[in-house]
Amino acid sequence: MHRPLGRLMAELRLPDWMRTGSAKLGLAIAVLITISTISFYFIENQGAGHGVFESLWWTVVTLTTVGYGDIVPQTTAGKVLGLAVMAGGIGLVSTLTGNLASLLVERKARKRKGLLEVKRSGHVIIFGWNASALGLVRGLRENQLVDRAGLVIVTDLPEERRDEIAYQLDLGDRLSFVAGHISHENVVHRARPEAAALVYILRQDSMSPHESDQQSIYAALTVRGLASKVPIYAEAAQPENRLHLLRAGVTELIDRGEISSGLLAVMGSAPPAWNLIQSMLGLTGKPGLSLRPLTDADKETTWGELVRALRQNDGSQPLALCKTARSLALEDMLDTGSALDQFILELFQSHGRETKLGSQQSQVMVNPPDSQALAGFDGVLVLRAGGGGTDAG
């Protein structure tokens, strides 16, 4: 007994894309072109001597109703075939074109709604949104961190609010949204943190401080599970949650209250301190503070020699030496060239044990002595020459 065609097609387990309407239309057009080409070749080959390619050319031209007229059927059967191809082409090609246009419009709408996985690499991701986020993006643009790879914002804000943010940022195609909760893995996955250059997790002003930190912890754990090495910078709403956020994989943590109180205290004895901070951070112009990586040649010198060299070169003023934050793993501590160390590493991996040992926080040495050797440091924080300035008044 013959099985129904529909059941037979289902048993073939075709890929999902072949079950779509566009795929079926494309298949129908391919079948029509094949049958028409073969038929035209055998019908007209006796009279005009058209080859296979000429038959294919005539079929495509007739199917798309272009009608160049360079090849014309000479027989009645050939003309009937032409009528059939034209009638079928008008319906199939126009329907396929409409379907493809509909797919493009639907994809664009899904992208605008933040429902698609981003196709970026080296991008910056911001999880959450608050009143300080616009200033953060402005600083990222000033430091040229989103010019090439772009920015991805993960938020559960309504579509109208996302459209407003997109208008304010004016990043065009460099901005993408991922709609959803920042602690859900399927949402975080669409932002592609494993391919990102930087990740920021902002406190949620719409939540209580405790709930905000809780969501930030979940987001950090999710990001770290997908991307073990990407730097994560986060805000803490409550001081008692700092340790939890660091344990969740946050690279550096910012506490607004701690920064504000410390700055206010300094301003008591040095009132222009706030003006200095504004200039260094670029709050009133271009950022004056930047990180300059140390070269191998730099690491063979001292702090005093580096200061003199930079001042003579571009007029920038070195402020501090730093060691950047990094994740520590067993691989970093063992010598892979040693048979014993290699055996230890394989033993951990074969038993499914984590080789991650923790993280090393960034370290800064401000205004070190001239004799300080640069070996062991990664970079130097410098104040650019001619940086933005503010009036002390």
Side-chain angles (χ1 to χ4, degrees):
M1 182 180 294
H2 295 287
R3 287 171 293 180
L5 180 60
R7 182 181 300 176
L8 179 62
M9 294 295 289
E11 292 178 357
L12 290 177
R13 296 181 180 179
L14 297 176
D16 291 340
W17 67 269
M18 293 187 65
R19 301 176 185 273
T20 63
S22 298
K24 294 177 181 178
L25 282 171
L27 180 61
I29 292 175
V31 171
L32 178 60
I33 290 176
T34 302
I35 295 176
S36 175
T37 300
I38 295 174
S39 301
F40 189 83
Y41 173 77
F42 284 106
I43 292 174
E44 296 292 323
N45 191 37
Q46 302 299 326
H50 297 303
V52 176
F53 181 77
E54 286 78 8
S55 300
L56 175 62
W57 171 263
W58 174 86
T59 298
V60 174
V61 169
T62 306
L63 183 69
T64 56
T65 65
V66 174
Y68 284 118
D70 52 344
I71 300 178
V72 180
Q74 302 297 321
T75 64
T76 301
K79 293 178 181 179
V80 171
L81 176 64
L83 291 174
V85 171
M86 283 185 283
I90 292 175
L92 290 176
V93 174
S94 60
T95 304
L96 179 63
T97 302
N99 280 8
L100 293 177
S102 177
L103 288 175
L104 292 175
V105 172
E106 181 182 357
R107 179 176 178 82
K108 187 175 182 179
R110 287 174 58 85
K111 180 180 179 181
R112 183 172 58 85
K113 293 179 180 179
L115 301 177
L116 296 179
E117 179 181 345
V118 299
K119 303 296 182 182
R120 298 183 184 273
S121 179
H123 53 291
V124 176
I125 306 176
I126 296 178
F127 287 91
W129 195 259
N130 57 33
S132 303
L134 286 175
L136 170 61
V137 177
R138 185 173 67 86
L140 292 172
R141 297 187 69 177
E142 290 287 352
N143 286 281
Q144 300 180 349
L145 294 175
V146 297
D147 289 345
R148 294 183 180 179
L151 173 68
V152 176
I153 299 175
V154 182
T155 177
D156 56 359
L157 291 174
E159 185 177 348
E160 296 79 9
R161 180 68 178 119
R162 295 200 303 269
D163 291 340
E164 181 183 346
I165 293 172
Y167 175 78
Q168 292 174 320
L169 297 181
D170 191 27
L171 286 171
D173 293 337
R174 291 173 293 171
L175 174 63
S176 297
F177 283 98
V178 172
H181 207 285
I182 65 172
S183 62
H184 293 172
E185 184 174 357
N186 64 325
V187 176
V188 176
H189 173 74
R190 297 204 305 268
R192 296 194 69 209
E194 69 278 5
L198 291 171
V199 171
Y200 292 91
I201 302 177
L202 304 184
R203 58 179 291 183
Q204 306 296 299
D205 291 341
S206 59
M207 299 181 179
S208 67
H210 177 72
E211 290 178 332
S212 175
D213 281 348
Q214 190 176 47
Q215 298 306 313
S216 296
I217 291 172
Y218 292 153
L221 288 170
T222 306
V223 171
R224 191 54 75 205
L226 296 172
S228 60
K229 295 184 179 181
V230 63
I232 302 176
Y233 304 123
E235 291 181 311
Q238 292 181 313
E240 57 266 29
N241 290 322
R242 291 174 56 89
L243 183 59
H244 299 304
L245 283 162
L246 292 173
R247 286 177 175 173
V250 172
T251 308
E252 294 289 351
L253 200 59
I254 301 297
D255 188 331
R256 294 188 201 173
E258 185 180 34
I259 294 175
S260 299
S261 58
L263 182 58
L264 288 171
V266 171
M267 290 173 62
S269 59
W274 174 232
N275 301 92
L276 173 63
I277 297 299
Q278 285 181 302
S279 177
M280 294 173 63
L281 298 182
L283 300 180
T284 57
K286 290 186 177 181
L289 192 64
S290 65
L291 176 64
R292 178 188 181 275
L294 290 174
T295 65
D296 293 336
D298 291 334
K299 295 179 181 180
E300 297 177 357
T301 63
T302 62
W303 173 258
E305 294 172 336
L306 178 66
V307 171
R308 289 190 293 271
L310 291 181
R311 293 296 295 169
Q312 293 175 1
N313 183 28
D314 57 12
S316 59
Q317 176 61 54
L319 300 178
L321 289 170
C322 63
K323 295 180 181 179
T324 55
R326 59 171 63 92
S327 298
L328 296 179
L330 189 61
E331 293 88 335
D332 301 322
M333 308 297 294
L334 299 178
D335 181 7
T336 55
S338 169
L340 178 59
D341 289 355
Q342 183 66 27
F343 171 75
I344 294 174
L345 182 60
E346 292 176 356
L347 191 63
F348 267 76
Q349 295 174 343
S350 63
H351 286 77
R353 298 292 184 86
E354 287 285 345
T355 60
K356 183 179 179 182
L357 301 178
S359 60
Q360 174 182 305
Q361 300 298 312
S362 60
Q363 303 175 17
V364 175
M365 181 181 291
V366 181
N367 194 24
D370 289 347
S371 59
Q372 175 64 49
L374 304 186
F377 292 92
D378 301 317
V380 55
L381 290 170
V382 300
L383 190 62
R384 298 190 185 99
T390 60
D391 296 331

